[in-house]
Amino acid sequence: MPLEHTTPLSHAHGTPRAAAVPPVAGARRSDLVPAPAPLTMPAHRGVDPPTLLAAHGCWYPSADPTGEHVAFICDRAGVPQLWSGPARGTEVHVLDGDPDPVTEVSWSPDGRWIAYTSAPGGGEHTRVLVVRPDGTGRQVLAGAEPGSSAHLGCWTRDGTALAVTVAPPSPVRSEHAGPGHLMSEAQGVPPAGGKTKKARRFERDGPALGPARRGGLAVYLVDPDAATAPTLLFSEEGAASLRVCDVSADGRFALVRRGPRGRREALVLNIAEGRTTFDLHVADGDPWIGRFSADARTLWLRSDAEREFAALLRVRLDEEGRSPGLSVAAEREDSALDLLSVPHHGRWAVLAWNAHGATELESVGLTLDRAYDAIGPRHHPVLPHEVVTRIAPVERGGLFAALSGSRRRPGIWELDEALVPSRTGWSAQDADAVPPGRPPVRPVPLRCEARDGLVLGGWYYRAPEQDPGRPAPCVIHLHGGPEEQERPVFNPLYHELLGRGLDVFAPDVRGSSGWGRSFVDADLGAGRFAAIDDVADCAAHVVSLGYADPLRLGVMGRSYGGYLTMASLVWHPDLFRAGVAVCGMSDFATFFAGTEPWIAQSAAAKYGHPEHDRELLRSLSPMSRIDQLRAPVLAVHGEHDTNVPPTESAQFVRAARDRGVSARQLTLRNEGHEFLRADNRRLYRRAAADWLQQYLRPAPS
């Protein structure tokens, strides 16, 4: 159904205009997405598993209001689960012993609940749960209905409600429908959540994907104590993403992140009146884009609006939530603001800057004086690892940070009020990062030039026992996204390949983040052909340096990197001896027909519209050039992947075999688009390394 337009705001000429969206009078439910129905789980206390891994990772910390206890994600039982323990102790325990992987964690401001997101069966449909700090009272707040999905938003400042994004059951094929025709499981299904309050709706952006593919998303405020019914903040037809990042202390305004990749927006929503009062383009990457000051008169925002690199913006707000203007509070010439973390009191913030892949951390004071825009003083702690992936501030001062490095597993460190870091007692030691007897490898940054003159970046890993004066077999590894970035973090796959005597070059081809907004947009539309050529140019560069043997080159990647692997094998058939394509798209037509509605909406903004750009997408699909395939290929896929369905790998493997090319598919059970279980990750690493070693390092005769 058409929804009223939300007017883009201009901040260059005076006060922006509020874009009114009239409230839906007397609305009892969303006509797009029914309210979530909280589900109480059976009596359950987390029981620590009998076997714990010494070499484990800990990440995504969230501290209680006192800063004395931390909830976090840990895979020491073989799967990412919710754990908790004292900040300065060693005894931690699992809060949810189910085998469903956990992806996000948030401790409530009042300390009574811990919210988290899990993926039943390891698939892509997630649900939002809460549990008390002692492991009791566990319940599913949203996403309990089979086929539906829910995502974590912020807590209200008093901790009485949690914002959750809800998607209805995904469209499925009708047995009578032709190819590409989809119908929704939710058609005719009554609302599951009972009474709700004020529905707010905003227009989707981008061309329509057709009624059966649009789907919808809605954001609700849910009370874990069930004292009040879920409150519908707004819903959006055809939404690619929605997340409430903050609710002002007085409850009048919500900060919402919405939109597809490359076209993300920050919205300020006047909750009572049901209208947006401010919007601005924001960068891709971390979804937690900003926070309101304690008095809701200032919005601190991470944005790359009208600039190459994301910076910290100060947005002034009036009593109605409109902005008379904004200013840049902190910026760097060649570095993007990766993470922004502001405690509830809003007196200071922690900024994580992305300096060509590595993190530079900075703590700054935030002034509420509206007479000037200065911030500071600034403090720059020295970090023991290269990359910060999550920041959890403590109200009294200090913070917890999830750190990762090229030679260390992810761990959580506490930084005190003087920002002196110390490792938590339950994070794995650095010595556990790689198998005994295998030295860790620190990568070397490389820059190379594409054939059209664009400068690309990347990291080169040299196998430990490689003859430094001799070209070696080399694997070009391509990250996903495309907007992800290759960063110097610990990657067990790389160490598996290095242990087989294979070098690894992990480049950032055009479309990657970390190198500016123009670089991210350089692969849009027909620019994707140049991104495919970037892979060949990166291979040629490491050959020209004498690092790689031109007769023993392999290529592999996951997600978009899996697509790029298949594309490189058919566009440059004589360059690579073997390939490993993981969860990649082989044909854009079948991908759009089978993926989730919100994934399709976002993908259309990045790759092209499945109808309007049909010919372009066909020519960009690896299946359109399958006759050119020469190199043997291994395809790997999770059985529950609904982002990129496993049929994308199956049809590529089948077509390769039909043409006499050696091809295999490895399907990982109980996995989705991400491989999260230790046994499956180990199987995947070894299978990929076996395949590449077979063709790049044949046994001597």
Side-chain angles (χ1 to χ4, degrees), residues 138-495:
R138 188 170 63 125
Q139 58 178 304
V140 181
L141 287 190
E145 182 183 1
S148 65
S149 197
H151 306 280
L152 191 64
C154 70
W155 289 94
T156 55
R157 298 291 181 99
D158 60 4
T160 59
L162 177 72
V164 294
T165 300
V166 184
S170 299
V172 295
R173 293 186 184 278
S174 164
E175 62 181 351
H176 303 295
H181 179 75
L182 301 168
M183 60 189 303
S184 172
E185 290 176 329
Q187 289 174 355
V189 177
K195 297 179 180 180
T196 62
K197 304 174 188 175
K198 302 171 182 173
R200 307 288 181 240
R201 301 177 297 173
F202 296 91
E203 184 183 335
R204 59 173 172 76
D205 56 354
L209 295 178
R213 294 305 292 145
R214 288 180 197 159
L217 295 176
V219 177
Y220 288 85
L221 286 176
V222 183
D223 176 10
D225 295 310
T228 60
T231 301
L232 177 61
L233 291 182
F234 56 87
S235 61
E236 182 180 355
E237 183 181 16
S241 67
L242 286 175
R243 185 185 295 246
V244 175
C245 298
D246 194 20
V247 176
S248 62
D250 57 14
R252 293 190 302 134
F253 304 115
L255 172 63
V256 180
R257 175 184 179 264
R258 70 174 294 277
R261 295 180 305 183
R263 298 212 301 270
R264 307 286 192 198
E265 283 184 301
L267 303 179
V268 173
L269 169 67
N270 185 315
I271 296 175
E273 299 179 11
R275 61 189 178 94
T276 56
T277 58
F278 171 85
D279 67 4
L280 187 70
H281 175 88
V282 292
D284 287 319
D286 186 69
W288 303 102
I289 55 174
R291 298 214 65 183
F292 294 106
S293 62
D295 63 358
R297 298 298 299 275
T298 299
L299 172 63
W300 302 101
L301 198 61
R302 183 182 69 86
S303 171
D304 63 352
E306 301 182 7
R307 56 194 315 107
E308 278 293 312
F309 295 94
L312 175 63
L313 303 186
R314 177 176 183 163
V315 182
R316 303 185 186 282
L317 301 175
D318 63 17
E319 286 292 336
E320 302 300 320
R322 296 185 298 265
S323 176
L326 56 83
S327 58
V328 178
E331 64 180 335
R332 294 195 178 185
E333 184 176 352
D334 296 318
S335 300
L337 181 59
D338 248 359
L339 303 173
L340 167 63
S341 184
V342 183
H344 291 317
H345 55 64
R347 294 192 298 271
W348 49 270
V350 180
L351 316 177
W353 299 94
N354 182 337
H356 295 170
T359 297
E360 295 179 1
L361 205 62
E362 181 178 45
S363 174
V364 300
L366 301 179
T367 176
L368 297 181
D369 187 343
R370 287 166 180 76
Y372 62 102
D373 295 319
I375 63 171
R378 302 186 176 198
H379 303 280
H380 304 271
V382 177
L383 299 175
H385 296 357
E386 289 102 319
V387 177
V388 176
T389 61
R390 184 63 44 194
I391 302 169
V394 178
E395 291 292 305
R396 56 172 167 74
L399 59 104
F400 293 91
L403 305 180
S404 188
S406 57
R407 298 184 292 179
R408 302 168 176 87
R409 287 188 180 273
I412 295 174
W413 291 63
E414 181 179 11
L415 281 72
D416 61 18
E417 295 184 38
L419 297 184
V420 177
S422 59
R423 185 205 308 271
T424 54
W426 24 268
S427 289
Q429 299 295 313
D430 292 348
D432 298 324
V434 295
R438 185 180 297 172
V441 174
R442 183 185 294 274
V444 175
L446 285 185
R447 303 297 299 274
C448 62
E449 189 173 295
R451 61 192 65 185
D452 62 358
L454 186 66
V455 178
L456 314 174
W459 299 85
Y460 197 92
Y461 296 76
R462 189 73 166 175
E465 299 179 0
Q466 214 74 273
D467 183 346
R470 252 181 112 174
C474 179
V475 177
I476 308 297
H477 185 274
L478 306 166
H479 63 67
E483 306 90 340
E484 293 177 16
Q485 180 187 11
E486 189 64 37
R487 308 191 71 172
V489 297
F490 181 75
N491 190 326
L493 170 65
Y494 294 175
H495 287 277

Side-chain angles (χ1 to χ4, degrees), residues 99-116:
D100 299 331
V102 173
T103 56
E104 290 184 297
V105 181
S106 180
W107 208 312
S108 67
D110 60 7
R112 298 188 306 116
W113 293 100
I114 299 171
Y116 58 106

